[in-house]
């Protein structure tokens, strides 16, 4: 754990980090056409379909779709590892 977090946990100072860039760029994660969805569509199309189908059948209760989520998690971890090491994937 970084030292700055330990100080804040015990009430030593206000929680204001000087290590974080204040200009954070937020990418839409679940929107169609977002970088995340494009990557999943290229590498895990079937797994995404099965997970979304399960979520639809179960009123979006993720707890009831744990098996398909685990399968999607494995596929997406591999996909993002490939994308992060391949220079052709630039957004």
């Amino acid at each position: 754990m970084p030292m700055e977090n330990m100080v804040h946990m015990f009430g030593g100072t206000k929680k204001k980090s000087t290590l974080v860039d204040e200009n954070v760029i937020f990418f839409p994660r679940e929107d169609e056409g977002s970088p995340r969805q494009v990557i999943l569509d290229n590498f895990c199309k079937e797994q995404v379909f099965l997970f979304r189908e399960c979520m639809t059948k179960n009123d979006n209760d993720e707890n009831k779709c744990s098996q398909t989520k685990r399968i999607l998690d494995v596929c997406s971890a591999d996909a993002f590892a490939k994308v992060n090491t391949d220079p052709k994937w630039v957004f």
Side-chain angles (χ1 to χ4, degrees):
M1 176 183 300
M3 181 59 85
E4 67 171 6
N5 286 344
M6 290 177 66
V7 171
H8 301 301
M9 284 174 31
F10 299 107
T13 63
K14 285 185 179 179
K15 190 164 186 174
K16 177 72 175 160
S17 175
T18 57
L19 302 174
V20 179
D21 185 4
E22 295 293 326
N23 298 322
V24 177
I25 299 170
F26 291 99
F27 285 103
R29 293 174 49 98
E30 306 303 330
D31 296 349
E32 295 299 323
S34 69
R36 176 183 168 94
Q37 294 303 316
V38 170
I39 292 166
L40 290 175
D41 284 345
N42 278 291
F43 291 95
C44 305
K45 193 174 209 102
E46 182 180 342
Q47 292 86 345
V48 170
F49 174 78
L50 292 173
F51 178 68
R52 287 184 179 167
E53 184 178 55
C54 179
M55 291 289 286
T56 302
K57 288 179 182 176
N58 292 298
D59 294 324
N60 292 322
D61 185 355
E62 201 170 299
N63 296 320
K64 294 179 181 176
C65 299
S66 60
Q67 182 179 1
T68 55
K69 186 175 189 313
R70 274 194 299 273
I71 293 168
L72 178 59
D73 286 344
V74 169
C75 180
S76 62
D78 291 341
F80 288 108
K82 289 175 188 172
V83 169
N84 287 333
T85 58
D86 189 349
K88 80 171 184 144
W89 287 93
V90 176
F91 289 98

